[in-house]
Each structure stands twice: as structure tokens, then as C-alpha cells.
Amino acid sequence: NAGVTQTPKFQVLKTGQSMTLQCAQDMNHNSMYWYRQDPGMGLRLIYYSASEGTTDKGEVPNGYNVSRLNKREFSLRLESAAPSQTSVYFCASSRARVGPLNTEAFFGQGTRLTVV
Amino acid sequence: KQEVTQIPAALSVPEGENLVLNCSFTDSAIYNLQWFRQDPGKGLTSLLLIQSSQREQTSGRLNASLDKSSGRSTLYIAASQPGDSATYLCAVAGSNYKLTFGKGTLLTVNP
């Protein structure tokens, strides 16, 4: 009954360091998403993958890269972390394959990242 | 650009009270609307999904309605309990794979 699993749960980075946030889902979902949540800003989409082998930018993609490793896994990479990337990061998945997000979205528990 | 607004930003009620949370959106061309619950320091838990062709959905003590033409949704919680205390988020899905979120309503149910 795992659903969407994110690792790590907490991370502290120094400015300029790199890291990869991992996400895996066991629901055989086609679409996967990365969001960040900031106080006063709500949740904003960073990148999404509508299906295995495809990725697209969301509304705040700068400073991030993603990889859809296979149908289960979607990773988010910070190449050179900046204090502005301090946030809570959520991965989500949905059964939707093509077209709009017309099916329920499920979220992971989040990764709390601090960049000092 | 789609914008989602949730009112009120915070709500405190005594246990047992029925309550309504409001969500409005600016672009009525949506495919569905989803209500989530978020506990402090936790992820989002899906509560209800309403497709654009539906008017309401019910799950236990929760009832969500959707008026797509007026750009409004409400989440009704019956007989509130302290365990209902959380932040409630609504999100609308458009044609671009993206969920647009409101900033949430922080609900506190006092024993």
C-alpha cells in the first residue's frame, strides 16, 4: 500500500551542491509530477512527465532537471543548489495518459530541503 | 491564467459544527476539481474528485459541490471532529496536465 514514495524526507545542502530527489510510484500510473510548496505561494508545478520517456516544463523549472527513469520512477535534480530552492518538494502521480489531468492525483509525503 | 482562491484562509469552529469551505476559480474550462487534506509536515491526501460533468461527490461526512459555470466549489464537512483539523486545498485541472492549487484553508476544530 505504498503509493508514492519520496526519498529523502529531509536534506540540508550548501549553496552550490547538487542532489537528486527520488520518487517512485507503485500504482502503474502513467503521469508523474514534481511540485514545490512555499509559504504564501502555494503549490507550483516544476516539471511533469505525461508518460514514460517524456518530460515537460511546468511553471517554475529554472534550476532543475528531471529524469523519467521508467514508468515507476521520476527524479528531480538540483545541479547547483541556491537558497531560493529551499522548499518542500512533492512528487505526484496520476493514471492519466494523454490529454488533460482528468484522473485523481496522488501525492508523496514530501522532501523538506534547506539550502544554506 | 487560471487562478484559484480559497476563502476563508483560516477557520476555527467548535466540535460538532457543520462547516463549508469555499473555492473559486477564474477559468471555467476545467476538467475536474480535486479537494485535498494536508496535515502539518505531511503530504497531500486526496479527499474527493469531481469531474467537470458532475455537480457533487460525497464521501462519508464530506460533500463537495461544483458549479463550473460560476467557477465555484464548496466542501461541506458535517459534524466536525478535532481529527478534521488540517489544511484543506482545492485544485483544478485544465487541459495542460497541470493542477492549479489554491492556498488552502486552515481548519481548527476545537474539542
Side-chain angles (χ1 to χ4, degrees):
Chain A
N1 203 24
V4 180
T5 303
Q6 293 182 232
T7 56
K9 289 186 171 51
F10 302 93
Q11 184 71 49
V12 178
L13 288 179
K14 294 182 179 179
T15 298
Q17 287 185 317
S18 62
M19 78 162 295
T20 300
L21 281 63
Q22 306 286 352
C23 174
Q25 51 89 12
D26 62 1
M27 296 174 282
N28 200 35
H29 283 172
N30 296 300
S31 307
M32 297 187 73
Y33 311 81
W34 278 104
Y35 286 84
R36 60 178 288 175
Q37 185 177 35
D38 302 290
M41 302 292 292
L43 280 122
R44 293 177 293 170
L45 182 65
I46 305 171
Y47 269 94
Y48 63 92
S49 171
S51 61
E52 185 179 355
T54 68
T55 60
D56 285 285
K57 296 178 180 179
E59 58 184 309
V60 288
N62 291 345
Y64 305 96
N65 286 299
V66 291
S67 295
R68 183 75 182 266
L69 304 171
N70 47 54
K71 192 172 185 179
R72 290 187 64 248
E73 298 172 288
F74 188 38
S75 63
L76 178 71
R77 183 161 178 83
L78 287 70
E79 291 290 351
S80 179
S84 62
Q85 294 178 305
T86 294
S87 186
V88 181
Y89 292 85
F90 288 101
C91 177
S93 73
S94 173
R95 182 167 51 86
R97 175 182 287 277
V98 294
L101 181 55
N102 58 359
T103 58
E104 192 173 9
F106 295 86
F107 281 73
Q109 291 299 298
T111 295
R112 282 147 187 81
L113 176 66
T114 302
V115 183
V116 298
Chain B
K1 179 186 175 186
Q2 178 75 270
E3 293 182 0
V4 179
T5 303
Q6 291 188 246
I7 295 173
L11 181 63
S12 181
V13 300
E15 182 177 2
E17 191 161 299
N18 301 326
L19 59 98
V20 174
L21 307 181
N22 297 293
C23 172
S24 62
F25 46 94
T26 55
D27 184 352
S28 62
I30 66 168
Y31 285 86
N32 65 54
L33 183 145
Q34 197 165 351
W35 281 94
F36 293 91
R37 168 187 174 137
Q38 186 175 28
D39 293 289
K42 302 292 185 183
L44 280 69
T45 300
S46 178
L47 297 173
L48 289 164
L49 171 72
I50 310 177
Q51 299 290 358
S52 61
S53 58
Q54 297 175 317
R55 297 284 294 182
E56 66 178 312
Q57 281 283 352
T58 298
S59 176
R61 294 183 292 108
L62 305 180
N63 176 277
S65 67
L66 174 64
D67 184 341
K68 201 173 101 167
S69 61
S70 68
R72 294 179 183 177
S73 176
T74 61
L75 179 66
Y76 175 82
I77 303 177
S80 59
Q81 304 170 358
D84 294 331
S85 298
T87 296
Y88 290 80
L89 297 159
C90 76
V92 296
S95 62
N96 58 358
Y97 292 97
K98 178 184 166 184
L99 274 176
T100 302
F101 283 84
K103 294 182 180 177
T105 294
L106 176 61
L107 173 65
T108 303
V109 181
N110 301 301

